[in-house]
Amino acid sequence: MAGLNKWIFATHGFRYPLLLSALHMLSGVAVGYPLGWARGPAPPAPRPRARIYLLSLTFCTSVGLGNLGLSYVQLDVAQAVATTTPLVTLLLSGLLGGRRHHPLQYVAMGPVCAGAACSIAGGLRFHQPGCAFLLAATVLRSLKSLQQSLLLQEDRLDARRLLCLTSLPSFCLLFGAAVALELGPSWEGVLRYDGTLWACVLLSCLASVLYNLATFCVLSLTSALTVHVLGNVTVVGNLLLSRLLFGTHLSGLGYLGIALTLAGMFMYHQPHLIAARWAARPGRGHPRPE
């Protein structure tokens, strides 16, 4: 989806990132409400409803800033910034949720962040405002995942119901922002794009719906931190996609960043295995009595 959005911004010159985000949410409304009606969801209690509205605000701000930053920077730089999301999520889950993790999982954030730094250093272009937008979107994306995890696990909402309940308020917020900031000054420019662009926009909207449903399903089974660490698997795919579609070049430092990120992911997912292998290595056992 990131590659398709970057293609829309870079190749077609689409200058309306907030409108694109609003169309993503409109597609969520078009898909989520029929799914919700088929399931017959009960109205949420006041506390989950307040959480849903707060989630919509966080979600809209993160998506809007992410697409805004993506319109300025190369896809490889955007993906490198996104790889810091697990560290931010780890810190926020400890500060806000009081969750504790295995010590090696904290250590694993080192190579993950070092890999992100190397990937950024290996990129061709570094646009300071664009990266600032992406960093802000990263923090909000982590907060959004923690909010989603609360709704899915504590308030017992399922993925389809959450998509149904969050899409409409998110669309209203994003479309209002798009009208005020993008369509108001130059709404005529939207009509000048050809059908190829709108086909790409439609594909991007469908990808957004599938992405949100898949994320909600994984969040209901795991945790916000695990989702973002798993998301770093897309680093390799997106960097290769950026090279194929946009002609970006990766230096040796960029490839080193990929390797460090993947090593940190393995350390995060297998801390007990690593600790057991370290304890069982030769020379770590108790000395025999003479």
Side-chain angles (χ1 to χ4, degrees), residues 42-233:
R47 183 180 177 185
R49 187 183 296 118
R51 286 182 174 180
I52 287 170
Y53 292 150
L54 183 60
L55 170 62
S56 296
L57 180 61
T58 307
F59 179 73
C60 293
T61 309
S62 67
V63 171
L65 288 174
N67 280 342
L68 188 60
L70 192 61
S71 65
Y72 285 108
V73 304
Q74 294 289 339
L75 179 61
D76 51 359
V77 177
Q79 187 61 37
V81 175
T83 57
T84 61
T85 308
L87 174 63
V88 179
T89 307
L90 179 70
L91 296 176
L92 288 179
S93 65
L95 291 174
L96 302 179
R99 297 193 60 179
R100 293 185 177 182
H101 302 274
H102 193 280
L104 282 179
Q105 291 179 318
Y106 289 95
V107 176
M109 297 300 106
V112 168
C113 293
C118 291
S119 299
I120 291 174
L124 278 179
R125 299 178 183 177
F126 182 84
H127 191 278
Q128 187 173 0
C131 287
F133 291 138
L134 291 171
L135 286 172
T138 297
V139 175
L140 291 174
R141 190 183 304 116
S142 299
L143 182 60
K144 174 204 69 174
S145 298
L146 293 173
Q147 292 173 293
Q148 290 170 340
S149 181
L150 287 175
L151 287 167
L152 290 164
Q153 297 182 7
E154 291 189 6
D155 295 320
R156 303 300 181 185
L157 295 177
D158 58 44
R160 291 179 294 178
R161 186 175 301 177
L162 186 59
L163 179 67
C164 171
L165 293 173
T166 57
S167 294
L168 185 57
S170 298
F171 168 73
C172 294
L173 288 172
L174 285 170
F175 187 72
V179 169
L181 301 176
E182 296 176 346
L183 299 181
S186 58
W187 67 270
E188 298 92 346
V190 181
L191 304 177
R192 299 176 183 174
Y193 295 104
D194 56 16
T196 305
L197 166 71
W198 294 112
C200 292
V201 170
L202 178 60
L203 288 176
S204 179
C205 291
L206 294 175
S208 173
V209 173
L210 293 175
Y211 170 79
N212 287 327
L213 280 174
T215 301
F216 293 161
C217 290
V218 177
L219 273 172
S220 65
L221 298 174
T222 58
S223 66
L225 180 58
T226 300
V227 166
H228 289 302
V229 174
L230 285 172
N232 281 355
V233 175

